[in-house]
């Protein structure tokens, strides 16, 4: 018998909803019933993730919210999602009202995505405690909370700053490495983040997909309220790592995994760039040249940019290898490399004994998957908060090296730079050994966090106690 019910409001983005559904499963393990409010958005199909959980037999219900007309005049993806979620407030209120009237289990809280702060007003009106589930790291949370202060101190564009951006508890961030939505302050992409950063002060608490040993200084600064001067900082609950696993025959018998079975331990460089990562023909040629010259074994999940775009971002498409790769590349590298032109089971590949290095876009889900397996990262950020993630992973956490990315040129990386980074992380240089050792250390820390008495376990117990408090 469930002790209470929690409603969860994710946004329909692959990276966000997968992580949020892991939060739903965690709450279920702590004997809560969970209702996920599913908001439909055109061009953002997430039905596959939902169907998998719905068929699992867990006490997790899905309430499908009615669609609304998309907002007009949105300035980029983040601005669009923020406005669209706010337009759903009437339907969200109706769904919560039905849950409050249910005799099944008392509604203990509403947990919303970091972009869904408009629902704070709905929860307050109904007397339901509201929390945010923050699917990325504590460093980005600190930055969002501190953003209104940065706006007052430095009204100019970040690129015009001569000094590094300093946020309490976070390593200095070069202005050119600030998150993509922050690079044009007059855009709705930026102002919506300032708006959300202010609204977080109204929350009952913030759940973060990280763990204490990974970001101790940042979490300390958050706990002490240093990141929101003059404003309230809600309690922060680090409850990570929460990582979705691929399931089913498609993952278990994938050809890439079979190829890895024949490779030595920790010998393969794995290149994969998330659900939206894709490259031009020129960039594909540079990657191929860099890998070939590196002499390393590699597994490359290659997707190319299609002609179709959503809110200014090109959609990835499966690659036709013979058309996009340099002539003779596959033949010359077939003894030590594999290129796969579509989806791969990333988590299973990172967990394989042969995985030795991960060239990644630095999306947070991917970073956690890699660290849970002790695989060091080579950061190649592309969009969202990935540029600041790359800095934090290298300079604060010590689990990554960074590639020199030509940000003004669509995040272009030259062949010689990729070769340098791959060799540095896989070879016997001092920095390579240091980063590999730190990744192994964080693998052990991630496991310890969820053992009895571990930091995330203790934080989750504290959250449960708060949710059940009358």
């Amino acid at each position: 018998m469930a002790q209470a019910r929690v409603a969860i409001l994710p946004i329909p983005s692959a990276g966000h909803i997968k992580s949020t559904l892991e939060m739903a499963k965690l709450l279920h393990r702590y004997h809560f019933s969970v209702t996920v409010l599913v908001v439909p958005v055109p061009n953002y199909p997430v039905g596959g993730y939902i169907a998998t959980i719905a068929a699992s037999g867990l006490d997790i219900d899905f309430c499908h919210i009615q669609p609304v007309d998309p907002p007009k005049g949105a300035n980029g993806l983040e601005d669009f999602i923020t406005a669209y979620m706010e337009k759903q407030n009437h339907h969200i209120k109706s769904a919560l009202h039905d849950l409050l009237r249910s005799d099944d289990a008392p509604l203990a809280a509403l947990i919303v995505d970091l972009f869904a702060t408009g629902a704070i007003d709905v929860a307050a009106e109904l007397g339901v405690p509201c929390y945010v589930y923050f699917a990325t790291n504590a460093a980005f949370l600190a930055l969002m909370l501190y953003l209104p202060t940065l706006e007052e101190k430095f009204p100019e564009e970040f690129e015009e700053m001569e000094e590094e951006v300093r946020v309490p508890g976070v390593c200095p961030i070069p202005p050119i490495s600030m998150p993509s939505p922050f690079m044009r302050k007059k855009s709705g992409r930026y102002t919506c983040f300032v708006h959300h950063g202010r609204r977080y002060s109204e929350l009952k608490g913030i759940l973060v997909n990280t763990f204490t040993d990974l970001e101790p200084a940042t979490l300390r600064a958050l706990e002490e309220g240093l990141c929101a001067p003059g404003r309230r900082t809600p309690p922060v609950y680090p409850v990570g790592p929460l990582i979705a696993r691929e399931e089913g025959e498609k993952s278990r018998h994938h050809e890439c995994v079979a190829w890895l079975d024949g490779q030595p331990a920790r010998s393969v460089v794995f290149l994969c760039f998330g659900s939206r990562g894709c490259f031009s023909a020129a960039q594909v040629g540079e990657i191929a040249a860099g890998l070939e010259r590196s002499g390393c074994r590699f597994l490359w999940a290659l997707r190319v940019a299609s002609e179709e775009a959503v809110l200014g971002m090109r959609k990835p498409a499966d690659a036709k290898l013979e058309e996009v790769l340099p002539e003779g590349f596959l033949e010359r590298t077939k003894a030590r490399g594999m290129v796969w032109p579509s989806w791969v089971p990333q988590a299973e590949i990172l967990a394989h004994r042969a995985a030795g290095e991960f060239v990644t876009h630095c999306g947070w889900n991917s970073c956690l998957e890699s660290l849970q397996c002790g695989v060091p990262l080579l950061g190649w950020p592309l969009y969202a908060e990935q540029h600041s993630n790359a800095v934090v992973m290298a300079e604060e956490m010590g689990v990554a090296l960074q590639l020199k990315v030509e940000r003004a040129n669509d995040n272009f990386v030259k062949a010689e730079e990729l070769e340098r980074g791959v060799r540095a992380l896989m070879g016997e240089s001092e920095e390579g050994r240091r980063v590999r050792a730190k990744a192994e250390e964080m693998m052990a820390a991630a496991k310890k966090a969820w053992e009895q008495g571990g930091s995330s376990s203790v934080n989750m117990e504290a959250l449960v106690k708060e949710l059940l408090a009358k």
Side-chain angles (χ1 to χ4, degrees):
M1 182 71 180
Q3 49 191 342
R5 180 172 296 277
V6 172
I8 295 182
L9 178 63
I11 65 167
S13 164
H16 285 246
I17 203 164
K18 287 171 72 174
S19 181
T20 306
L21 290 178
E22 291 305 304
M23 186 69 226
K25 289 193 281 186
L26 178 62
L27 286 163
H28 176 266
R29 290 202 295 272
Y30 279 82
H31 309 294
F32 286 91
S33 292
V34 179
T35 296
V36 179
L37 308 180
V38 181
V39 175
V41 177
N43 297 313
Y44 285 88
V46 293
Y49 307 121
I50 292 170
T52 299
I53 305 300
S56 67
L58 301 176
D59 188 11
I60 298 176
D61 302 323
F62 292 90
C63 174
H64 291 268
I65 304 296
Q66 296 181 30
V68 297
D69 293 332
K72 296 180 180 179
N75 185 214
L77 176 61
E78 298 84 0
D79 190 31
F80 173 86
I81 287 292
T82 296
Y84 190 84
M85 297 302 286
E86 288 188 356
K87 288 191 72 173
Q88 288 283 4
N89 275 355
H90 174 74
H91 295 312
I92 293 166
K93 180 180 178 181
S94 177
L96 291 176
H97 191 261
D98 288 345
L99 291 176
L100 285 167
R101 293 170 57 188
S102 171
D103 295 330
D104 181 19
L107 184 60
L110 171 66
I111 300 175
V112 304
D113 183 88
L114 67 93
F115 285 109
T117 59
I120 293 174
D121 299 323
V122 175
E125 185 178 345
L126 296 176
V128 178
C130 190
Y131 297 74
V132 152
Y133 174 64
F134 205 79
T136 187
N137 50 61
F140 189 59
L141 171 60
L143 177 54
M144 279 190 68
L145 288 173
Y146 201 63
L147 206 53
T149 302
L150 284 173
E151 180 65 14
E152 293 172 7
K153 288 184 175 182
F154 306 104
E156 71 269 24
E157 297 288 353
F158 286 115
E159 285 180 296
E160 298 172 6
M161 291 177 59
E162 296 182 358
E163 58 188 281
E164 294 175 310
V165 179
R166 296 183 180 274
V167 176
V170 181
C171 63
I173 301 173
I176 194 61
S177 294
M178 288 292 277
S180 296
F182 297 4
M183 300 309 284
R184 295 291 178 267
K185 287 191 172 184
K186 293 182 180 179
S187 74
R189 298 181 71 197
Y190 173 73
T191 56
C192 81
F193 276 96
V194 178
H195 169 73
H196 292 310
R198 288 197 176 103
R199 294 228 64 184
Y200 287 173
S201 295
E202 304 170 48
L203 295 163
K204 183 77 170 177
I206 302 174
L207 290 54
V208 191
N209 191 11
T210 190
F211 53 100
T212 301
D213 285 345
L214 186 60
E215 301 186 84
T218 307
L219 291 168
R220 238 181 351 259
L222 288 165
E223 184 179 358
E224 294 171 5
L226 302 178
C227 303
R231 305 191 314 280
R232 170 181 171 269
T233 300
V236 174
Y237 301 91
V239 292
L242 298 177
I243 299 171
R245 292 294 186 192
E246 294 101 356
E247 298 177 0
E249 296 297 310
K250 183 180 178 182
S251 171
R252 284 196 296 272
H253 301 296
H254 198 279
E255 193 173 332
C256 290
V257 178
W259 181 82
L260 285 172
D261 288 342
Q263 308 305 316
R266 293 297 197 215
S267 68
V268 175
V269 179
F270 175 43
L271 300 90
C272 191
F273 299 91
S275 59
R276 287 190 280 160
C278 53
F279 295 107
S280 66
Q283 182 65 88
V284 170
E286 293 291 311
I287 296 172
L291 289 175
E292 187 169 358
R293 295 204 300 245
S294 75
C296 294
R297 300 171 190 269
F298 65 87
L299 171 57
W300 179 9
L302 171 58
R303 306 192 77 196
V304 295
S306 70
E307 294 301 315
E308 186 180 357
V310 176
L311 293 172
M313 289 194 69
R314 286 286 182 91
K315 294 185 72 173
D318 292 353
K320 297 179 180 179
L321 299 183
E322 298 79 8
E323 296 179 7
V324 298
L325 289 170
E327 186 177 354
F329 172 79
L330 291 173
E331 179 65 25
R332 292 191 301 273
T333 61
K334 65 181 181 181
R336 60 179 175 86
M338 182 180 198
V339 186
W340 194 257
S342 58
W343 176 90
V344 296
Q346 177 175 288
E348 186 174 358
I349 288 170
L350 289 167
H352 197 283
R353 60 170 182 78
E357 174 183 328
F358 186 25
V359 184
T360 173
H361 63 311
C362 296
W364 189 238
N365 289 337
S366 294
C367 292
L368 287 180
E369 286 178 5
S370 195
L371 291 180
Q372 183 161 270
C373 301
V375 179
L377 303 104
L378 186 60
W380 183 340
L382 300 175
Y383 52 85
E385 88 286 13
Q386 294 162 12
H387 292 84
S388 57
N389 281 356
V391 174
V392 170
M393 298 287 287
E395 303 300 328
E396 184 83 23
M397 302 176 190
V399 294
L401 297 179
Q402 297 183 74
L403 289 171
K404 294 177 183 177
V405 173
E406 297 177 14
R407 192 162 185 182
N409 187 21
D410 199 23
N411 301 299
F412 199 81
V413 171
K414 294 179 179 177
E416 54 267 28
E417 174 61 11
L418 179 61
E419 178 190 2
R420 179 203 64 79
V422 166
R423 284 176 177 270
L425 197 49
M426 287 292 275
E428 291 306 312
S429 68
E430 182 180 347
E431 63 176 352
R433 289 197 301 270
R434 171 179 51 79
V435 170
R436 293 197 300 270
K438 192 67 175 179
E440 293 276 355
E441 180 185 330
M442 286 301 105
M443 176 177 64
K447 181 181 179 182
K448 183 180 177 183
W450 276 112
E451 293 176 350
Q452 187 174 2
S455 60
S456 294
S457 179
V458 168
N459 292 331
M460 190 63 196
E461 289 167 5
L463 174 63
V464 169
K465 185 177 180 180
E466 183 63 32
L467 290 174
L468 295 176
K470 301 298 182 183

